[in-house]
């Protein structure tokens, strides 16, 4: 089975170059330029700071990590592709469709917010990064892997947070629309029990982005808070249907395996809820916040839940800043023998 989003559409989001007004001057961002620790790799050696290496102030309040956000090579090596093909086939043999929801990273989507006067930013080639991402998506699709990428235009400021690596609530909503559209074309979708879900807004809230925590530790600088929208998704209840919702309902036929993008312990953007709403189906949450891309997948495929009540579809959410090639993909070797029972 092969579900392809047209490549020309799947990457149309990256053609957006948002025109922003005159750059707002944030005193905290001005102070960042004078903090030498931010550009000192040695300052990030603690386990809590390693993933934030190295932070750079951009325009209009944007903060970038020069490692994950300025990634220019998205290629998967042949060995990793072969492993993914084997996992997808073994799951297909069990009647399970396996989808990889592969996000773009912040650098690709927000080049207009890079600083003009930074040598580090000038060394980052957003066009090269975009080309590498597009080519990788096509390579994976040509290998018959079920890859889902963002399929419509979303300005960067409406998809990612400025001072945090995660997407905003609107970003989660928009990507859920894309994923749901693909899942609804799956051959097993018609056999899935449908349930109507409704998302309601609880209003805006202010928060401190995760980059701000690290900047405070390194430089003693406090960034301005951002705002987002809190949303909650719940089943639509009609008449006396409550009993059916909490009775002997079958296990969900779709499983989401994700990172903190799918569920964050502190600033949840409700991706799971939006996915339920747009698929009109209940979804089993196998996400582990802070577990990376490997721990949740291995844990779920090794679990009793998977073995006794396998789903019809699995969605594996992977942020684009993760490397899924060479030594970083060795965990895929664990999945085939231990979780899927094949050598």
């Amino acid at each position: 089975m092969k579900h392809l989003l047209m490549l020309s559409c799947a990457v149309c989001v990256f053609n957006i170059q948002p025109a922003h007004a005159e750059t707002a001057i944030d005193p905290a961002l001005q102070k960042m330029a004078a903090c030498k620790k931010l550009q000192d790799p040695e300052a990030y050696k603690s386990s809590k700071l390693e993933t934030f290496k190295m932070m750079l102030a951009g325009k209009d309040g944007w903060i970038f990590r020069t490692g994950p956000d300025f990634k220019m090579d998205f290629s998967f090596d042949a060995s990793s592709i072969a492993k993914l093909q084997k996992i997808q086939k073994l799951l297909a043999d069990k009647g399970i469709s396996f989808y990889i929801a592969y996000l773009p990273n912040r650098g690709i989507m927000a080049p207009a917010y890079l600083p003009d006067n930074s040598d580090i930013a000038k060394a980052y080639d957003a066009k090269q990064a975009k080309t590498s991402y597009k080519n990788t998506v096509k390579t994976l699709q040509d290998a018959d892997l079920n890859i889902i990428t963002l399929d419509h235009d979303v300005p960067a400021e409406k998809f990612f947070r400025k001072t945090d690596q995660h997407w905003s609530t609107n970003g989660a909503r928009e990507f859920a629309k894309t994923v749901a559209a693909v899942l609804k074309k799956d051959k097993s979708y018609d056999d899935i029990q449908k349930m109507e879900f409704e998302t309601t807004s609880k209003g805006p809230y202010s928060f401190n982005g995760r980059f701000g925590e690290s900047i405070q530790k390194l430089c003693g600088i406090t960034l301005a808070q951002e705002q987002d929208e809190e949303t909650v998704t719940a089943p639509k209840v009609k008449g006396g249907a409550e009993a059916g919702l909490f009775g002997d309902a079958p296990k969900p036929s779709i499983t989401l395996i994700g990172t903190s993008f799918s569920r964050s312990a502190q600033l949840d953007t409700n991706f799971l809820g939006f996915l339920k709403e747009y698929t009109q189906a209940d979804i089993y949450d196998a996400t582990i916040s802070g577990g990376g891309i490997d721990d949740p997948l291995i844990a779920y495929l090794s679990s009793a839940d998977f073995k006794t009540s396998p789903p019809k579809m699995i969605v594996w959410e992977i942020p684009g800043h993760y490397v899924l090639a060479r030594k970083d993909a060795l965990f895929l070797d664990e999945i085939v023998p231990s979780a899927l029972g094949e050598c």
Side-chain angles (χ1 to χ4, degrees):
M1 176 185 60
K2 184 177 183 181
H3 288 274
L4 299 184
L5 297 176
M6 295 301 293
L7 192 59
S8 60
C9 183
V11 296
C12 59
V13 64
F14 311 131
N15 295 325
I16 295 256
Q17 291 292 323
H20 42 78
E22 184 176 343
T23 302
I25 299 176
D26 183 343
L29 299 184
Q30 289 182 314
K31 291 179 182 178
M32 281 183 63
C35 181
K36 298 184 184 298
K37 282 187 177 181
L38 291 178
Q39 301 308 316
D40 179 8
E42 295 296 315
Y44 294 88
K45 282 204 167 179
S46 74
S47 59
K48 291 185 178 180
L49 292 174
E50 180 67 29
T51 58
F52 297 97
K53 187 169 64 180
M54 291 179 300
M55 285 174 288
L56 181 69
K59 299 174 183 175
D60 293 352
W62 281 73
I63 306 294
F64 294 92
R65 294 179 296 173
T66 59
D69 292 337
F70 289 1
K71 175 181 173 181
M72 288 191 284
D73 181 8
F74 290 83
S75 60
F76 286 41
D77 62 289
S79 173
S80 297
I81 292 174
K83 292 172 186 176
L84 290 171
Q85 287 174 316
K86 186 166 187 179
I87 292 169
Q88 181 171 293
K89 182 181 183 304
L90 289 171
L91 287 170
D93 290 345
K94 297 176 182 289
I96 303 168
S97 301
F98 182 60
Y99 292 93
I100 299 174
Y102 188 42
L103 300 174
N105 74 347
R106 296 170 83 247
I108 289 178
M109 289 192 68
Y113 295 104
L114 296 175
D116 295 325
N117 57 352
S118 166
D119 291 337
I120 297 175
K122 289 177 181 177
Y124 170 67
D125 190 333
K127 290 183 179 179
Q128 179 182 328
K130 179 173 69 174
T131 298
S132 176
Y133 181 89
K134 289 168 60 176
N135 289 342
T136 295
V137 169
K138 186 175 187 306
T139 297
L140 297 174
Q141 289 176 335
D142 289 345
D144 287 332
L145 290 168
N146 299 321
I147 304 298
I148 306 176
T149 61
L150 191 62
D151 69 345
H152 58 287
D153 291 342
V154 184
E157 67 274 13
K158 294 186 180 296
F159 193 83
F160 281 114
R161 290 168 165 170
K162 294 181 178 182
T163 61
D164 193 283
Q165 69 267 40
H166 298 100
W167 52 25
S168 63
T169 295
N170 187 70
R173 179 189 290 112
E174 295 301 326
F175 198 63
K177 290 178 184 177
T178 295
V179 174
V182 175
L183 299 186
K184 290 168 83 169
K185 296 176 183 176
D186 189 275
K187 63 183 181 181
S188 64
Y189 179 75
D190 288 342
D191 298 328
I192 290 176
Q193 180 177 356
K194 306 303 184 298
M195 183 185 298
E196 284 192 86
F197 287 86
E198 183 176 35
T199 299
T200 57
S201 174
K202 298 185 71 175
Y205 67 93
S206 299
F207 67 93
N208 296 306
R210 294 202 59 203
F211 298 165
E213 298 173 16
S214 299
I215 292 169
Q216 174 66 35
K217 288 178 183 177
L218 290 171
C219 306
I221 298 170
T222 301
L223 299 182
Q225 288 190 315
E226 283 193 76
Q227 277 206 331
D228 205 342
E229 178 192 17
E230 183 179 3
T231 60
V232 176
T233 302
K236 282 187 178 180
V237 178
K238 298 179 181 179
E242 292 92 337
L245 291 175
F246 303 102
D248 296 327
K251 285 273 190 178
S253 297
I254 303 173
T255 293
L256 172 64
I257 302 173
T259 66
S260 53
F261 275 71
S262 291
R263 185 185 65 202
S264 173
Q266 294 178 317
L267 300 172
D268 188 20
T269 51
N270 197 31
F271 178 62
L272 176 67
F274 290 128
L275 200 54
K276 290 180 179 182
E277 179 182 10
Y278 295 128
T279 57
Q280 295 181 301
D282 198 10
I283 296 175
Y284 181 79
D285 183 12
T287 293
I288 300 177
S289 181
I293 60 173
D294 49 352
D295 288 350
L297 184 63
I298 294 172
Y300 176 67
L301 293 180
S302 303
S303 70
D305 278 327
F306 173 70
K307 297 185 188 312
T308 58
S309 302
K312 294 184 182 297
M313 291 182 256
I314 291 175
V315 177
W316 185 29
E317 168 256 309
I318 302 179
H321 61 262
Y322 276 95
V323 178
L324 194 57
R326 297 171 287 279
K327 65 182 180 66
D328 299 286
L330 292 177
F331 73 90
L332 294 174
D333 293 326
E334 298 179 44
I335 294 172
V336 174
S338 64
L340 299 178
E342 295 283 344
C343 298

